[in-house]
Amino acid sequence: MRILVMNPNTTASMTASIRAIAEASASPGTEILATEPLWGPESIEGHFEGYLSAAAVLDRLTTIDVPFDALVMAGFGEPGREGAQEVLDGPVLDIAECAAQMAMLLGHSYGVVTTLDRAVPQIEDRLRTAGLLQRCASVRATGLGVLELEEDAEVTVKAVIATARRLIEEDRAEVICLGCGGMAGLQEKVSAALGVPVVDGVAAAVKFAEACHELGLSTSKVRSFAGPRPKTIGSWPLSTHLRDAR
């Protein structure tokens, strides 16, 4: 099968990191394609940038000319997944939801380590909408911006471990979720330091995508995620792009 992994920001180096963990997690015979929008914010740290990114991601999905069997959206808590589910016929996996679903199989409660404190309410809202917040012990921020995650690997790892330790010791989390696509690949170091399971959302989403494909399952189209009705928005022939994307 072929999985498209979509980095929601335009930072190519982050796309490369996300691609690496996706490829390392994929089964033999699974091909990973990774890309980012052609326009939009270089990082997503708030609602404004999140909605800009959602539009850019959907634009990229409706014009990409490479076929794929499933989509992994590598933004933790950003908007746009529901739109992608309407546009695409194959399964659409969000790394926030996949990380939480995987974590709940491994412990009674889980905690999320993310970037800036302002991201915490967005992640909580995404988990609440997905029905996954009840078993979330807490979402805590490292204080590092998204782009800062790539500046100094040692600083990033120390910050993630320190924040995750508070989730375990103060909030009683039993499993840790890495709450940003930019943290891809840190799970082994964090788990070794703390002695608890650590879930990388990209890796989890790749495995869920493979499972859906192997079981012949995809998004239901009978109601909530039925395809958009053909129409023209301004000078953009939406129906043509959607037809070509399917």
Side-chain angles (χ1 to χ4, degrees):
M1 72 172 298
R2 180 180 285 171
I3 299 174
L4 175 64
V5 181
M6 178 67 71
N7 173 16
N9 66 48
T10 57
T11 301
S13 59
M14 197 162 291
T15 303
S17 298
I18 291 169
R19 178 190 293 111
I21 187 63
E23 290 177 341
S25 306
S27 301
T30 296
E31 180 182 358
I32 299 294
L33 304 175
T35 190
E36 64 277 329
L38 300 179
W39 56 274
E42 62 181 346
S43 65
I44 304 166
E45 294 167 334
H47 295 287
F48 177 72
E49 292 168 345
Y51 283 105
L52 282 179
S53 168
V57 165
L58 293 173
D59 177 54
R60 184 78 172 105
L61 289 174
T62 57
T63 57
I64 196 167
D65 58 0
V66 180
F68 53 92
D69 300 299
L71 171 68
V72 168
M73 299 186 73
F76 207 96
E78 276 86 48
R81 176 184 59 80
E82 295 87 353
Q85 286 181 292
E86 291 184 6
V87 169
L88 302 176
D89 289 332
V92 176
L93 289 304
D94 168 89
I95 66 169
E97 295 183 18
C98 287
Q101 293 278 12
M102 184 71 76
M104 291 192 302
L105 299 175
L106 305 174
H108 179 266
S109 62
Y110 67 93
V112 179
V113 178
T114 190
T115 52
L116 301 177
D117 184 64
R118 66 179 299 172
V120 171
Q122 289 177 264
I123 292 173
E124 290 175 340
D125 285 347
R126 168 57 72 185
L127 296 174
R128 182 180 293 106
T129 299
L132 301 169
L133 188 61
Q134 183 175 356
R135 286 174 60 186
C136 180
S138 182
V139 181
R140 286 186 179 264
T142 60
L144 296 175
V146 173
L147 298 181
E148 290 180 284
L149 296 174
E150 295 187 325
E151 291 180 358
D152 189 319
E154 185 177 350
V155 170
T156 296
V157 171
K158 287 182 177 179
V160 171
I161 290 174
T163 306
R165 181 172 282 111
R166 293 186 64 191
L167 285 166
I168 296 166
E169 295 178 353
E170 299 177 25
D171 304 326
R172 312 302 293 171
E174 299 176 5
V175 183
I176 298 298
C177 295
L178 300 178
C180 178
M183 295 178 182
L186 301 184
Q187 67 275 16
E188 292 184 2
K189 292 182 179 179
V190 179
S191 181
L194 299 176
V196 300
V198 177
V199 181
D200 177 278
V202 175
V206 166
K207 303 314 288 187
F208 277 123
E210 289 179 334
C212 287
H213 181 73
E214 292 173 8
L215 294 170
L217 301 173
S218 189
T219 305
S220 174
K221 295 291 185 176
V222 299
R223 193 180 185 192
S224 300
F225 304 116
R229 299 179 64 186
K231 65 187 70 172
T232 298
I233 301 178
S235 61
W236 187 47
L238 179 61
S239 58
T240 299
H241 287 295
L242 295 178
R243 184 190 66 238
D244 293 342
R246 288 175 178 267

